[in-house]
Amino acid sequence: AIERTLSIIKPDATRRNLTGKINAKFEENGLMIAATKRLHLTRAQAEAFYAVHSARPFFNDLVEFMISGPVVAQVLVGEGAILKNRDIMGATNPANAAPGTIRAEFAESIEANSVHGSDSAEAAAQEISFFFAEIEIVA
Ligand code: CMP
């Protein structure tokens, strides 16, 4: 089925001017960028977005990292987009990411791993509505 997923190009990638190269990976692999927004998250926004991880030992460092520079939030649309985007990104830890994936090519560490992608249909719907109004999503 055609799905939507929420992607974030993280501060390590915007800092290195990799937005275009990452967008090319999405498009080359059959995902359409149906919405895109560059923003600098506040601490409150980053904490709210990652609330599901608030009990994890890496939470504070994750929030600090996510507010360390601009991010690009995007809605990606395509056949099986949620799983497809996870394949395009590669494993969370770049040391385990398959060749050709975004994280294998660009990520610096498990924290500075260049991209976020929704991990389920429920998360995708919730994360998309965190950043975008329906009128901003054009597939
Ligand atoms: P992301 O998909 O954005 O979801 C949570 C993020 O926490 C994850 O990618 C990583 O960038 C970050 N993170 C930092 N340390 C860890 C860790 N030990 N395990 C999992 N995620 C981590």
Side-chain angles (χ1 to χ4, degrees):
I2 300 293
E3 294 175 343
R4 293 169 165 188
T5 191
L6 189 281
S7 172
I8 302 177
I9 301 177
K10 296 187 179 184
D12 67 286
T14 60
R15 190 176 291 128
R16 289 175 289 149
N17 233 11
L18 292 170
T19 298
K21 285 183 172 161
I22 291 172
N23 284 343
K25 291 278 193 193
F26 297 143
E27 294 183 342
E28 284 163 5
N29 287 285
L31 294 179
M32 173 206 279
I33 301 166
T36 191
K37 184 177 284 185
R38 182 174 166 105
L39 63 170
H40 198 138
L41 295 174
T42 65
R43 183 177 301 274
Q45 287 170 334
E47 288 175 350
F49 182 80
Y50 279 119
V52 64
H53 294 306
S54 61
R56 303 279 209 107
F58 57 81
F59 181 70
N60 286 330
D61 286 344
L62 173 62
V63 169
E64 285 295 337
F65 168 65
M66 290 300 290
I67 67 176
S68 68
V71 300
V72 180
Q74 298 175 304
V75 178
L76 306 179
V77 174
E79 184 64 34
I82 297 165
L83 261 179
K84 181 176 278 185
N85 186 40
R86 295 184 73 76
D87 284 344
I88 296 167
M89 291 192 294
T92 303
N93 185 343
N96 303 325
T101 61
I102 291 169
R103 285 164 171 162
E105 287 195 16
F106 303 125
E108 297 179 319
S109 67
I110 193 170
E111 175 177 271
N113 65 354
S114 301
V115 279
H116 166 82
S118 307
D119 65 4
S120 68
E122 296 68 32
Q126 195 244 317
E127 292 177 0
I128 288 168
S129 67
F130 186 90
F131 286 106
F132 295 99
E134 278 303 317
I135 197 172
E136 297 177 297
I137 304 168
V138 184

